[in-house]
Amino acid sequence: MALRHLYFGDGRTSRIFRTGMVIFDIVTVLYFIVSSMIPEQPTMHLTDLAIAVVLIADYVTRLLIVVRPLKTALELTTIADLIVILSLLAANFIDNLGFLRILRMLRLLRSYHVLRDLRRNWIWFKRNEEVIQSAVNLFVFVFIVTAIVFVAEAQHNENINTYVDALYFTVTTLTTTGFGDITVKDTFGRLLTVAIMVIGVTLFLRLVQTIFRPSKYPFTCPDCGLNRHDPDAIHCKHCGRVLKIPTDGES
């Protein structure tokens, strides 16, 4: 099947197609972030519809070409895509764009799918996968929580008037800087602040840990199962098994 070959094949056309989809994923994520920070423009509705058409085509195609479509439909990224599609279509009928912005931020979950494709095609991503994964986790958390803060507080908090204000509050809270120029007074806002500090600091420390920890290559030893080794390792440090770790010769 031609469509299945495009999504899963190893040919040049398939790689170009998948690279194009990765670029589209990155562009849509950036668009949703930027559009959340600026006032609504008339052209945004047309852009939303155009993105929705592409997402619908991709969504339906993926369900048609997989062996187990129900399992695929229940995956987190697939559900997130469906919610994003509905939010894009609903923009023509719902005035509460702030609520829709939260739903569209679920597109950030697609970042994990993008990483999977990049890891498959570029050894640099595979070699630095742990650091990149930690950075993506923090990035996704910050922007999804920022959308929640904006929608929850913008209506009754005089200090939060734009998405940038909400982003500023989220980052200062996450870093425990706490300048105090923007605060929340309602119960939900305070509970959300606690969650930002606890979860956000954990993700931030995880990122720092992966950056400064010695780099390891993800490769599973056939004998003992140790799955991380030095990039230039010849033998498994745990059992001594001779390893054949793929390398580009730069180690």
Side-chain angles (χ1 to χ4, degrees):
M1 187 177 183
L3 289 176
R4 183 176 179 82
H5 178 72
L6 279 178
Y7 276 80
F8 303 113
D10 294 325
R12 182 172 180 272
T13 303
S14 300
R15 290 196 297 270
I16 293 175
F17 172 79
R18 287 196 298 269
T19 300
M21 291 302 297
V22 167
I23 294 173
F24 174 77
D25 286 336
I26 294 173
V27 169
T28 54
V29 166
L30 293 177
Y31 167 73
F32 290 144
I33 291 174
V34 172
S35 63
S36 298
M37 299 181 181
I38 61 178
E40 183 179 358
Q41 305 293 328
T43 56
M44 284 185 176
H45 287 299
L46 293 177
T47 304
D48 291 346
L49 287 176
I51 294 175
V53 169
V54 177
L55 292 181
I56 290 172
D58 177 60
Y59 180 87
V60 173
T61 302
R62 282 188 285 126
L63 293 184
L64 289 175
I65 63 177
V66 295
V67 178
R68 302 175 64 182
L70 180 59
K71 180 181 178 181
T72 301
L74 295 177
E75 291 178 353
L76 182 60
T77 54
T78 307
I79 294 174
D81 279 350
L82 180 59
I83 294 175
V84 171
I85 290 171
L86 294 176
S87 75
L88 290 169
L89 298 177
N92 295 303
F93 310 100
I94 299 177
D95 294 329
N96 188 357
L97 185 60
F99 173 72
L100 296 180
R101 282 171 176 166
I102 288 184
L103 299 181
R104 292 176 189 179
M105 284 301 169
L106 292 176
R107 182 68 178 169
L108 292 170
L109 297 177
R110 194 72 175 171
S111 302
Y112 302 107
H113 175 81
V114 171
L115 284 181
R116 184 186 66 189
D117 287 343
L118 292 176
R119 184 173 64 248
R120 180 169 55 185
N121 295 317
W122 285 282
I123 193 170
W124 183 87
F125 281 91
K126 187 172 184 178
R127 179 178 299 169
N128 298 279
E129 178 181 358
E130 198 167 0
V131 174
I132 297 172
Q133 187 76 55
S134 297
V136 169
N137 288 340
L138 183 60
F139 177 83
V140 170
F141 174 79
V142 167
F143 281 96
I144 288 182
V145 170
T146 297
I148 297 175
V149 170
F150 176 67
V151 173
E153 297 293 325
Q155 299 299 321
H156 58 269
N157 192 323
E158 66 278 6
N159 295 319
I160 299 180
N161 300 304
T162 66
Y163 187 89
V164 176
D165 292 336
L167 178 62
Y168 170 77
F169 170 78
T170 301
V171 173
T172 55
T173 301
L174 184 150
T175 58
T176 67
T177 304
F179 292 119
D181 51 343
I182 298 180
T183 59
V184 293
K185 301 177 182 180
D186 58 297
T187 301
F188 176 78
R190 290 174 175 174
L191 291 175
L192 184 58
T193 301
V194 172
I196 292 173
M197 287 188 287
V198 173
I199 301 175
V201 169
T202 301
L203 292 174
F204 180 75
L205 291 177
R206 173 63 177 170
L207 174 59
V208 173
Q209 180 188 35
T210 55
I211 290 175
F212 289 99
R213 189 170 61 185
S215 176
K216 298 290 184 179
Y217 192 90
F219 183 86
T220 302
C221 174
D223 289 346
C224 69
L226 185 65
N227 58 16
R228 298 194 68 82
H229 306 270
D230 293 331
D232 59 349
I234 299 175
H235 297 86
C236 175
K237 288 185 176 180
H238 189 268
C239 69
R241 164 74 182 250
V242 175
L243 302 175
K244 296 182 180 179
I245 299 178
T247 176
D248 54 7
E250 296 178 359
S251 300

